[in-house]
Amino acid sequence: MAHDCSIPVLAEGVYEFDARGVAKRFRHAAIFGALSALEPGETMRFCNDHNPLPLLAQIAQHFGTGVKVAYVSQEPGEIIIDFHVAT
C-alpha cells in the first residue's frame, strides 16, 4: 500500500511536508524554512511528485551532515523522503 501524505503521521517527532501543494516558486524556500525549524532528533517526512535531486544537493551543501536523507518510497508520481536532523 502506498503512503498517502494526506494522512497525518502519528509518530512523535515526525512532521509532514507535502510539497505538491506548494507553488513551485516557493517550494525550496518553504522546504529550507521547515528544515531550519526542526529540532535535533526530529524528522520532516517530505512528499513530492518527482525525485528532487537538485534540492537534495542544495540541502547537502547547506546542512552538511546535520540532515540525514532516507527514501521511504519512490513510487511514480509520489516520492517520499525522510529528512532527519542529527542529534
Side-chain angles (χ1 to χ4, degrees):
M1 181 174 160
H3 174 81
D4 181 353
C5 281
S6 65
I7 299 172
V9 175
L10 300 177
E12 177 139 356
V14 178
Y15 301 94
E16 287 186 333
F17 186 103
D18 191 341
R20 298 171 296 184
V22 179
K24 288 188 182 197
R25 66 183 285 203
F26 300 126
R27 280 187 188 173
H28 284 210
I31 292 162
F32 273 82
L35 286 171
S36 296
L38 293 174
E39 298 291 330
E42 293 182 330
T43 298
M44 181 175 82
R45 178 152 293 166
F46 171 82
C47 272
N48 203 14
D49 56 3
H50 65 278
N51 198 352
L53 297 177
L55 172 67
L56 296 179
Q58 290 175 345
I59 288 170
Q61 182 178 8
H62 183 80
F63 292 101
T65 60
V67 173
K68 305 291 182 201
V69 176
Y71 282 85
V72 176
S73 174
Q74 295 188 58
E75 297 295 323
E78 184 177 74
I79 304 298
I80 302 169
I81 303 171
D82 277 355
F83 295 107
H84 180 76
V85 177
T87 54

